Amino acid sequence: MSFQDIQTPAVLVDLDIAEANIDSYQAYCTKHGLELRPHIKTHKMPFLAKRQLEAGAIGITCQKISEAEAMIADGGIDDVLITFNILGPEKLERLKALAEKVRLSVVADNISTVNGLSKAFSQAVTPLTVLVECDTGAQRCGVNSPEAALDLAQAIDRSPGITFGGLMTYPPVGKEAEVQDWLAEARDIIEAAGLEVSVISNGGSPGMWRAENVPATTEYRIGTYVYNDRSLVKRGVCDWGDCALTVLATVVSVPAPDRAVVDAGTKVLTSDLLGMSGHGHVLDRPDIKVDALSEEHGVLRADTIDLEVGDRIRIVPNHVCVVSNMVDEVQLIRGNRVLGPIPVSARGKVI
């Protein structure tokens, strides 16, 4: 199969680049004494998770129970952290079943989640490990002070069926010193109260090359690094040559000298801007702007578009994680060699 045989729009993953990204960041973590726990929401494919484990990762991170179920279905993955408040009897039953198959830990930032986990696991042979999620400045989920982290850690400790495992945060970008102070204070007051803080889980691809600046951290969670994307290039985290995933699109119309239309719209490129202008980077044509998207179309603009109907281009998306969730399969390549399609096993699940 050649590139011309691939039906477009298609998502291409260059394994040479993805594997180099995996090995490069694993080497960084090893150098700095950090355990690495990759987040699989970027690729959603067990074979890449296993490649990350082979490189030295200690386990994987998932955001949903359904992702974890898909990732472990074929075996070979036995340590999972789910970084989401899990609520409701049906999800908790599935969580219990998952805990019987792998070494499982979860997070919580409120007493309602803790109580639900405790009730569900009260008769379990092995207690469920629960980390306190901390808001160290990113203002997503998380308790909002070290003192609140202590309160929730103590609540976990006295609840049957679960055990306190440590702290977890998704940090604000560029605020390593503040994150270090927050986590170190929380660790110290919790340990002073007699509880062990065995894990402090930090993570996020935008700050990946500054992870050592939060020395309280014991493990680092990271997802986008395996593929990289336009948002990370713009942040200076990587270069275009480090971007393993591209969207292959065909020019379907050239209605003006400065404009062309391709068959890739929001259903494959996503509408995420992440603070940028435009919806992707066209490889080998930095003068072209992916100016607008509808569901099935992408509008390209340049002073001189210099494209013809039938031409094919490759676009680095703004936000690669969303792209993985939009397609049932990706085409694996190595450079200019097409290896063929592979299913995106954990995509599309809503719970």
Side-chain angles (χ1 to χ4, degrees):
M1 177 185 287
S2 69
F3 278 70
Q4 287 301 123
D5 297 320
I6 298 174
Q7 296 295 305
T8 63
V11 176
L12 313 182
V13 172
D14 191 319
L15 287 182
D16 288 342
I17 299 175
E19 290 171 353
N21 292 339
I22 290 168
D23 292 340
S24 176
Y25 198 67
Q26 182 63 59
Y28 171 89
C29 286
T30 300
K31 176 182 178 181
H32 292 286
L34 285 169
E35 303 282 10
L36 180 60
R37 183 182 291 277
H39 206 315
I40 60 81
K41 68 185 178 67
T42 299
H43 58 70
K44 302 180 185 289
M45 294 187 291
F47 94 95
L48 275 179
K50 291 174 185 178
R51 177 63 175 80
Q52 291 169 312
L53 293 170
E54 289 168 3
I58 61 167
I60 65 171
T61 305
C62 297
Q63 202 72 355
K64 298 182 290 187
I65 298 171
S66 56
E67 286 181 345
E69 291 168 338
M71 295 305 290
I72 71 166
D74 296 328
I77 298 173
D78 60 10
D79 190 319
V80 177
L81 168 65
I82 300 179
T83 50
F84 205 86
N85 285 317
I86 298 171
L87 299 166
E90 292 185 8
K91 290 183 181 180
L92 289 168
E93 282 299 312
R94 289 170 62 188
L95 193 69
K96 287 169 59 180
L98 187 65
E100 294 174 358
K101 300 174 183 177
V102 297
R103 185 164 54 254
L104 180 66
S105 50
V106 300
V107 304
D109 75 349
N110 62 79
I111 194 64
S112 295
T113 298
V114 168
N115 289 342
L117 293 169
S118 176
K119 181 178 179 181
F121 282 82
S122 60
Q123 303 301 316
V125 174
T126 303
L128 176 68
T129 298
V130 182
L131 282 66
V132 173
E133 183 168 3
C134 305
D135 177 9
T136 55
Q139 297 190 343
R140 296 209 300 199
C141 294
V143 297
N144 58 18
S145 70
E147 293 76 17
L150 169 61
D151 291 342
L152 198 59
Q154 291 175 322
I156 294 168
D157 181 62
R158 61 176 175 260
S159 298
I162 60 178
T163 184
F164 172 65
L167 306 173
M168 170 265 173
T169 190
Y170 180 79
V173 178
K175 301 289 186 179
E176 286 77 21
E178 292 86 343
V179 173
Q180 168 62 22
D181 290 345
W182 204 110
L183 293 174
E185 182 181 351
R187 176 198 62 201
D188 291 347
I189 65 174
I190 291 170
E191 290 185 342
L195 296 178
E196 180 182 2
V197 183
S198 57
V199 172
I200 299 183
S201 182
N202 187 24
S205 294
M208 58 188 286
W209 301 117
R210 300 186 298 273
E212 80 273 18
N213 294 332
V214 186
T217 300
T218 64
E219 72 173 31
Y220 203 76
R221 306 178 322 281
I222 186 168
T224 311
Y225 85 109
V226 65
Y227 289 160
N228 292 312
D229 58 20
R230 184 178 177 225
S231 72
L232 293 184
V233 173
K234 292 300 183 182
R235 289 182 180 274
V237 175
C238 61
D239 296 322
W240 297 120
D242 301 315
C243 294
L245 184 147
T246 54
V247 173
L248 180 67
T250 299
V251 176
V252 295
S253 177
V254 185
D258 65 345
R259 179 163 47 96
V261 181
V262 295
D263 59 355
T266 57
K267 288 183 178 179
V268 66
L269 282 173
T270 91
S271 56
D272 285 4
L273 289 176
L274 302 181
M276 296 176 289
S277 174
H279 298 273
H281 170 79
V282 180
L283 289 183
D284 302 320
R285 286 295 306 272
D287 60 311
I288 292 179
K289 180 179 181 180
V290 185
D291 189 55
L293 300 178
S294 58
E295 286 188 83
E296 311 292 353
H297 298 101
V299 178
L300 313 180
R301 292 186 185 272
D303 290 342
T304 303
I305 200 68
D306 196 24
L307 291 170
E308 297 180 358
V309 171
D311 285 348
R312 292 191 163 195
I313 62 170
R314 291 171 64 182
I315 302 171
V316 177
N318 286 352
H319 187 190
V320 74
C321 302
V322 186
V323 174
S324 292
N325 199 53
M326 291 188 172
V327 292
D328 290 328
E329 65 181 27
V330 299
Q331 292 283 346
L332 299 181
I333 65 174
R334 288 191 182 274
N336 293 322
R337 182 162 60 97
V338 178
L339 305 180
I342 187 170
V344 183
S345 304
R347 74 159 294 262
K349 313 294 193 301
V350 295
I351 57 176

